[in-house]
Amino acid sequence: MSDATSNPIPEPTAGVDGDLAARAAQLDAEDGLGKLRERFTLPDGVVYLDGNSLGALPAAVPDAMSDVVRRQWGELLIRSWDESDWWTAPERIGDRIAPLVGAAPGQIAVGDSTSVNLFKALVGAARLAAPGRTRMLVDATTFPTDGYIAASAARMTGLEIVPVDPSGAAERMTADTAVVLLNHVDYRTGRLHDLPALTRAAHAAGALVVWDLCHSAGALPVGLDAHGVDLAVGCTYKYLNGGPGAPAYLYVAARHQDGFDSPLPGWNSHAEPFAMTPEYEPARGAARARVGTPDILSMLALESALGVWEGVDVADVRAKSLALTDFFLECVAAYVPAGKVEAVTPAGHAERGSQVSLRCGNAREVMAELIARGVVGDFRAPDVLRFGFTPLYVGFADAERAARTLGHIFG
């Protein structure tokens, strides 16, 4: 590896470097979403391609949080549950997320972690399933926590876990299948799975489907209502830029809400939470998915962060995402010596999320040097470099510089 201090990345020169840099500048000049970068606070000189792990800071959040802490908490104190409308935050913010995932209002509650929401979704789906079904199909390539939670939910509901590759999951859905858990985008490779077709297949088998949207919400259209999804979960600290540890969300389709039996019935999801009765009566609508007291500070940081989506069409975000990842792959092919990296993200647009994953030797060391040179992506064991493209603040010049830096490391 070269030393980042003694051997800095040169500016683009004539030839391939200059041509690609010039194209990047032209593409940025024509980018209708380019002005949205002003809505974020980003360090100078850094190409940030890890928004699929932690989104950048929306510029409005610090002032909003100052008001939450100093005035709402500091001055109004307990009165803010009513006067600042803290109590309705889980459903109110859920309704702001809803259009980003193709859902009508009243179907999303924000709160808890993705893992907790997934547990609620899987157990709730199993309790909604037709009697006599014995299997829970689980994406074999899923983020590990999903597998851990699914195994626990299966033990609780008496179902058998059946790992499946999403590409062949439809063939494994039978009359014995109660619930299917799938990831919309594979976190390691960036592969986009066919949500509409797999949802149809699950329903044709009489099963319910739960989708994990962590790596798709805010990066591409999801269409939960249009495609008849039963339940879905997702985090808000990636493409939704809600901040580290921001609360996750749970979508329960309106048609299932009256029958949704949460395994975590808390006082916040009670029909009369302040009656303090020993008997539990679930609330109606999305509030049924709540559990305990909302985490107000991070909840309201997320609400402010969602302001960056004002006037933004997710279809435009998807178009730019595909253009960015196409251009990055072109630049990698031009700058990186043949045989040094291998793309594991599908080339086809229908199968690509908003990231590019490259396999290479010494991947951990390569990523460390990229970060030292101001290109921030991340490493996934054992050999994957992962680059997330968040169209709201990543431009084509960022993609070109990242690829050129990678090429310089291998040069």
Side-chain angles (χ1 to χ4, degrees):
M1 294 291 164
S2 56
D3 180 75
T5 302
S6 62
N7 193 11
I9 303 304
E11 292 299 313
T13 58
V16 173
D17 286 25
D19 291 345
L20 289 172
R23 276 186 55 204
Q26 182 63 33
L27 289 166
D28 281 333
E30 297 169 352
D31 176 20
L33 299 181
K35 61 183 181 298
L36 298 179
R37 188 181 181 109
E38 298 173 355
R39 299 182 181 183
F40 294 86
T41 299
L42 288 157
D44 291 337
V46 171
V47 174
Y48 189 63
L49 301 182
D50 207 9
N52 53 331
S53 291
L54 176 64
L57 172 66
V61 169
D63 286 346
M65 290 309 297
S66 178
D67 178 71
V68 170
V69 172
R70 295 179 183 279
R71 183 183 65 84
Q72 295 181 35
W73 178 14
E75 297 177 15
L76 296 180
L77 297 165
I78 196 73
R79 292 157 50 200
S80 274
W81 284 104
D82 293 320
E83 295 181 28
S84 300
D85 212 13
W86 286 358
W87 183 260
T88 66
E91 294 78 46
R92 183 177 75 243
I93 301 171
D95 284 347
R96 295 195 68 173
I97 293 172
L100 302 179
V101 293
Q107 298 177 97
I108 294 177
V110 174
D112 306 311
S113 66
T114 307
S115 299
V116 171
N117 281 313
L118 182 61
F119 180 73
K120 290 185 281 186
L122 289 174
V123 174
R127 291 173 175 175
L128 285 165
R133 292 176 177 253
T134 59
R135 303 191 308 158
M136 178 184 294
L137 273 55
V138 177
D139 185 340
T141 63
T142 189
F143 190 76
T145 293
D146 283 20
Y148 308 153
I149 294 293
S152 178
R155 290 194 299 272
M156 175 177 281
T157 57
L159 298 179
E160 173 194 1
I161 289 286
V162 180
V164 295
D165 187 309
S167 63
E171 291 74 21
R172 305 291 298 278
M173 300 176 191
T174 67
D176 290 333
T177 305
V179 181
V180 180
L181 168 63
L182 296 167
N183 285 260
H184 198 189
V185 173
D186 185 284
Y187 80 98
R188 184 181 289 106
T189 67
R191 177 180 291 276
L192 171 66
H193 298 302
D194 192 340
L195 181 148
L198 288 166
T199 300
R200 287 195 301 269
H203 291 168
L208 285 87
V209 64
V210 178
W211 283 95
D212 184 327
L213 308 179
C214 286
H215 288 270
S216 60
L220 52 91
V222 177
L224 292 177
D225 287 352
H227 301 305
V229 170
D230 300 298
L231 300 103
V233 302
C235 66
T236 62
Y237 49 77
K238 301 184 192 301
Y239 296 108
L240 297 183
N241 310 295
Y249 57 90
L250 172 58
Y251 163 90
V252 181
R255 66 186 181 279
H256 291 311
Q257 288 178 357
D258 286 347
F260 179 70
D261 182 7
S262 173
L264 296 173
W267 78 284
N268 255 236
S269 63
H270 197 286
E272 296 290 342
F274 293 98
M276 304 298 174
T277 61
E279 299 80 20
Y280 179 72
E281 179 185 349
R284 301 295 300 273
R288 185 174 292 211
R290 293 170 65 156
V291 183
T293 305
D295 41 354
I296 290 298
L297 297 183
S298 57
M299 186 91 67
L300 298 186
L302 168 62
E303 183 170 35
S304 174
L306 291 170
V308 301
W309 290 94
E310 183 178 351
V312 178
D313 189 327
V314 177
D316 293 337
V317 172
R318 176 60 169 166
K320 181 178 176 181
S321 165
L322 292 172
L324 277 169
T325 49
D326 278 344
F327 184 65
F328 177 69
L329 286 166
E330 180 184 350
C331 291
V332 168
Y335 289 144
V336 179
K340 293 295 186 179
V341 299
E342 172 195 1
V344 296
T345 302
H349 287 182
E351 297 180 290
R352 188 195 308 164
S354 197
Q355 72 183 59
V356 172
S357 294
L358 304 174
R359 180 175 289 122
C360 72
N362 300 319
R364 185 188 297 274
E365 292 79 7
V366 170
M367 182 53 69
E369 187 158 350
L370 279 168
I371 292 171
R373 294 175 181 273
V375 176
V376 181
D378 68 7
F379 161 77
R380 285 291 180 267
D383 57 2
V384 171
L385 306 172
R386 202 173 65 148
F387 303 94
F389 289 84
T390 306
L392 298 190
Y393 55 77
V394 172
F396 293 90
D398 295 324
E400 187 274 335
R401 179 185 163 191
R404 180 160 41 88
T405 305
L406 185 62
H408 186 79
I409 290 171
F410 281 113

